[in-house]
Amino acid sequence: MTTTNVDSMITRMQALAAAASGKPVASDNQAGSGVDFSAVLKNAIENVNTAQNSAQAKAQSFATGASDTSLEDVIVSLQKANLSLQGMIAVRNRLVDAYKEVTNLQV
């Protein structure tokens, strides 16, 4: 998941929160683009899963003594997997906060 996708998702969530609270909503070209939120979220989760599996495979390959796997490759792939997981956790936390904010709105 790219930063642009996350920023776009946050912007849309803020627009929904503003609309629910009765504030005027600024027009946005992306609002009518028809991006499927569940597809974006599913794609991001699959990317994190792929990074985790790749890192685990490289670590296991290095541990078994495969000659084509270097320690640097293992460390880099583990760090990439860790960063992607941390990013996904941050997005999840923002989604939970937005959900709590929307559920606390009085209609």
Side-chain angles (χ1 to χ4, degrees):
M1 174 173 258
T2 65
T3 310
T4 308
N5 290 345
V6 174
D7 291 338
S8 173
M9 183 174 21
I10 291 171
T11 303
R12 282 183 264 145
M13 288 173 35
Q14 289 171 342
L16 288 173
S21 66
K23 296 178 184 175
V25 179
S27 64
D28 188 14
N29 291 337
Q30 292 180 343
S33 66
V35 176
D36 186 18
F37 176 75
S38 63
V40 171
L41 191 59
K42 182 178 180 182
N43 187 24
I45 292 171
E46 287 174 355
N47 289 341
V48 171
N49 188 35
T50 301
Q52 293 283 331
N53 290 340
S54 173
Q56 184 178 6
K58 284 185 181 182
Q60 188 173 12
S61 175
F62 181 76
T64 59
S67 62
D68 63 336
T69 306
S70 68
L71 180 60
E72 292 83 12
D73 289 338
V74 173
I75 292 172
V76 168
S77 65
L78 287 171
Q79 286 298 321
K80 284 182 182 180
N82 186 26
L83 287 174
S84 65
L85 182 62
Q86 287 177 1
M88 182 56 70
I89 290 171
V91 169
R92 182 213 51 194
N93 290 343
R94 293 290 301 256
L95 287 171
V96 169
D97 290 341
Y99 175 76
K100 287 178 182 177
E101 185 176 329
V102 168
T103 57
N104 288 334
L105 292 175
Q106 293 181 355
V107 181

